[in-house]
Amino acid sequence: MKIAVMGGDGFIGWPTSLHLSDAGHEVHILDNLSRRWIDTELGVQSLTPMDSIQERTRIWHAETGRRIHFNLIDLAKDYELLKKWLAEHRPDAIVHFAEQRAAPYSMKSDRHKNYTVNNNVSATHNLLNALVELNLDAHLVHLGTMGVYGYSTVGAAIPEGYLAVGIETADGQTVSQDILYPANPGSIYHMTKCLDQLLFQFYAKNDGLRITDLHQGIVWGTHTEQTRRHEQLINRFDYDGDYGTVLNRFLIQAAIGYPLTVHGTGGQTRAFIHIQDSVRCIELALKNPPPRNARVEIFNQMTETHRIRDLAEMIAKLSGAEIVRLPNPRKEAPENDLIVKNDKFLNLGLEPITLQAGLLSEIVDVAKKYAYRVDRSRVPAISAWTKDLAATVNHDPEGKRLKSVS
């Protein structure tokens, strides 16, 4: 297939682009490189050294003979340019990663909230609008988040997108209907993914677009089969308090002798997936598109769930690192369970990579190799969900002012 990867320079976009190219597809990356500009804004860099997207694609071609094409396009702002590119290339499928992906970044300030909403929602709508205008029957695969569901549970498993409910009619009968699982976003970022859901529902119903929405868990890991082929193909590795995912952050903290920072009780349960499984799931979704005029296909793209404190204890046993408890900058329940259905990908043949000491050690080795690039002052999570919570944030987990919360 000819596949357009929107946001193909990012944490998931880059290894996905390599994976799809390696499988024989013609891959075109469309990206505005905003994630690199955000690094500059935050004063932090990827733990792993990242070459320019042009150099990355050059190395890939030199290693494999396959070309990945790059196009500098801002989906949220360059609608006419996007539409012109789609009209010229008419891809068979589109993978949509082109959104600001960090919940903490989306909550930093009013400016960051506005940017996240304007960027994410406009990018999604511009893409859907252009597909309809061009009568382009491309299968759209979107990377969403498990966070659209929220993290509270009533003890029942969260279904894959749709919930069967009974509705009482005026004459006292009960009829069954499938509805989107009630949205319960925990940040502005998660809220934009909920808005994406509604846009997808409308365009699938109104215009017959073929859409798959992947509600993904927290991604951990560094390498995929393709990124291992050359040092310059390595994926980005975020460790800072805004963009670093919790397990990767624990692993780098262990590698550099930094306390493992558990916020609040650590009783928050999260869904996880290894980055290799993430790219495999995207390929499986591309191979199994919904028919035209069908409802949006929704997958829960996760392989296991863990409590944050359990992860910290596992890493501490592996590495001997210290665990510290800090006030939680997020507005969320201190404890939650999370039961999730993920039958669809398993039925399509996914064999999940689960947490193993060997894989965790590999990531620690990567962290140790590039530890000289770490700015320890950027490790703490300091973006708070409310002004009241901002007053409780600990900016110096390594300092003498460190206090454990009970």
Side-chain angles (χ1 to χ4, degrees):
M1 291 187 288
K2 180 188 288 187
I3 302 174
V5 181
M6 313 300 190
D9 187 48
F11 175 53
I12 308 296
W14 175 244
T16 299
S17 297
L18 297 184
H19 184 83
L20 295 175
S21 177
D22 202 31
H25 302 291
E26 180 184 331
V27 176
H28 296 256
I29 290 175
L30 280 68
D31 202 303
N32 67 352
L33 306 182
S34 61
R35 183 64 190 88
R36 294 175 185 255
W37 284 105
I38 289 172
D39 276 346
T40 302
E41 173 203 346
L42 296 178
V44 69
Q45 60 184 348
S46 164
L47 174 71
T48 50
M50 286 173 53
D51 283 313
S52 69
I53 184 63
Q54 291 87 351
E55 179 67 5
R56 283 172 137 186
T57 55
R58 185 191 71 79
I59 292 293
W60 177 248
H61 179 250
E63 288 293 307
T64 66
R66 298 187 181 280
R67 292 196 180 277
I68 294 177
H69 309 272
F70 171 67
N71 306 269
L72 184 65
I73 298 178
D74 188 326
L75 266 66
K77 296 179 180 178
D78 301 334
Y79 175 72
E80 292 300 330
L81 189 59
L82 169 65
K83 190 168 70 169
K84 180 180 178 182
W85 188 93
L86 290 171
E88 179 182 347
H89 293 276
R90 301 193 74 85
D92 303 298
I94 298 169
V95 186
H96 176 23
F97 300 119
E99 297 181 85
Q100 192 290 107
R101 66 171 176 84
Y105 184 86
S106 77
M107 302 298 288
K108 288 182 77 68
S109 70
D110 55 349
R111 178 175 68 83
H112 294 88
K113 292 174 182 178
N114 283 341
Y115 169 74
T116 302
V117 172
N118 293 338
N119 181 80
N120 292 7
V121 180
S122 293
T124 297
H125 187 257
N126 282 349
L127 181 54
L128 295 167
N129 200 10
L131 292 176
V132 172
E133 187 68 18
L134 297 170
N135 193 28
L136 178 54
D137 183 26
H139 176 206
L140 174 61
V141 175
H142 171 255
L143 192 69
T145 171
M146 287 291 300
V148 299
Y149 302 123
Y151 292 111
S152 61
T153 180
V154 294
I158 294 176
E160 302 205 70
Y162 298 99
L163 180 66
V165 298
I167 302 173
E168 186 174 343
T169 64
D171 60 2
Q173 302 296 312
T174 299
V175 295
S176 180
Q177 183 176 342
D178 284 354
I179 63 170
L180 273 179
Y181 193 90
N184 187 20
S187 71
I188 291 295
Y189 157 73
H190 292 108
M191 187 269 293
T192 64
K193 297 291 189 174
C194 294
L195 296 176
D196 286 343
Q197 280 197 131
L198 295 177
L199 287 170
F200 297 145
Q201 293 292 322
F202 173 79
Y203 276 95
K205 176 186 68 174
N206 193 70
D207 299 288
L209 294 188
R210 297 184 295 137
I211 302 171
T212 298
D213 199 8
L214 307 176
H215 291 170
Q216 180 164 262
I218 296 171
V219 180
W220 65 280
T222 307
H223 285 300
T224 63
E225 179 185 340
Q226 290 74 31
T227 63
R228 287 189 180 93
R229 292 187 182 178
H230 192 284
E231 190 169 13
Q232 288 176 270
L233 296 175
I234 195 167
N235 198 23
R236 72 177 299 125
F237 188 117
D238 298 307
Y239 64 87
D240 63 285
D242 285 325
Y243 275 89
T245 59
V246 62
L247 181 52
N248 278 3
R249 276 171 50 79
F250 281 165
L251 291 164
I252 192 171
Q253 287 170 346
I256 65 173
Y258 197 101
L260 305 185
T261 50
V262 174
H263 295 277
T265 67
Q268 309 93 333
T269 304
R270 299 289 192 258
F272 292 87
I273 185 170
H274 188 272
I275 194 165
Q276 181 70 69
D277 280 344
S278 182
V279 300
R280 287 173 180 156
C281 286
I282 291 159
E283 184 181 21
L284 286 171
L286 287 166
K287 289 180 176 178
N288 295 274
R292 194 166 175 85
N293 295 307
R295 72 180 185 180
V296 177
E297 184 68 74
I298 300 176
F299 291 79
N300 288 339
Q301 188 164 302
M302 51 73 64
T303 54
E304 55 191 325
T305 60
H306 296 278
R307 288 190 189 277
I308 300 301
R309 60 173 173 253
D310 295 338
L311 287 177
E313 289 168 5
M314 180 182 6
I315 303 305
K317 288 179 182 177
L318 178 72
S319 64
E322 174 192 6
I323 299 175
V324 296
R325 299 255 177 112
L326 303 175
N328 192 353
R330 300 186 182 218
K331 188 173 183 178
E332 61 183 350
E335 304 272 337
N336 74 276
D337 294 317
L338 187 63
I339 308 169
V340 183
K341 289 187 176 180
N342 64 340
D343 300 334
K344 290 183 180 180
F345 275 130
L346 296 178
N347 291 338
L348 290 175
L350 178 67
E351 297 178 1
I353 298 170
T354 54
L355 290 175
Q356 301 171 18
L359 284 172
L360 298 181
S361 297
E362 174 191 301
I363 300 167
V364 172
D365 289 343
V366 170
K368 287 179 177 177
K369 179 177 180 180
Y370 297 108
Y372 69 93
R373 293 171 55 85
V374 174
D375 180 348
R376 299 176 83 97
S377 69
R378 303 298 177 181
V379 173
I382 60 174
S383 295
W385 265 228
T386 67
K387 293 180 180 179
D388 290 340
L389 288 172
T392 71
V393 169
N394 190 313
H395 292 251
D396 183 27
E398 289 190 290
K400 295 179 180 179
R401 294 181 289 106
L402 181 64
K403 294 182 179 179
S404 178
V405 295
S406 57

